[in-house]
Amino acid sequence: MAMNGSTWRDHPFEIGKAYIALADNPDFTKGYICSGHQYELINIGYSHYDGASVFTFKCLSTYELVSWWWFDNASDNSSIETFKPLSNKRQ
């Protein structure tokens, strides 16, 4: 069963905020996440079956939807090693 809109993990993400990717295709992704590209977070979910928090982003240059899966056994620092929040201004 998937849970939409939330996850059990503490994380720094906010729906509607923009982030810059710090790594190409980090861990497990659906779609291709490119280092240096900007993404807007549009959904947070949890997959009980896979044991993963799922963060869905929209690429701000291509409008492609991509998902980053943060597995339960992954480091607590994975989120800050993978994405950095953008300032209020779009770069």
Side-chain angles (χ1 to χ4, degrees):
M1 179 171 106
M3 182 170 66
N4 288 319
S6 64
T7 183
W8 68 269
R9 289 193 93 134
D10 287 332
H11 59 82
F13 299 118
E14 287 183 55
I15 292 175
K17 299 276 183 164
Y19 299 86
I20 190 162
L22 301 175
D24 284 335
N25 229 19
D27 297 328
F28 180 82
T29 62
K30 182 178 179 185
Y32 195 78
I33 294 174
C34 299
S35 177
H37 285 218
Q38 298 173 12
Y39 298 87
E40 178 184 350
L41 182 63
I42 61 169
N43 191 49
I44 299 169
Y46 185 78
S47 173
H48 292 279
Y49 179 79
D50 298 298
S53 301
V54 181
F55 298 87
T56 304
F57 295 89
K58 176 177 66 178
C59 181
L60 295 179
S61 61
T62 66
Y63 303 104
E64 176 186 6
L65 295 182
V66 297
S67 296
W68 174 59
W69 292 53
W70 187 8
F71 290 96
D72 292 349
N73 60 356
S75 164
D76 287 339
N77 291 330
S78 292
S79 64
I80 60 173
E81 294 169 350
T82 305
F83 294 96
K84 178 177 90 171
L86 290 175
S87 64
N88 291 337
K89 293 182 189 177
R90 289 234 169 116
Q91 299 178 352

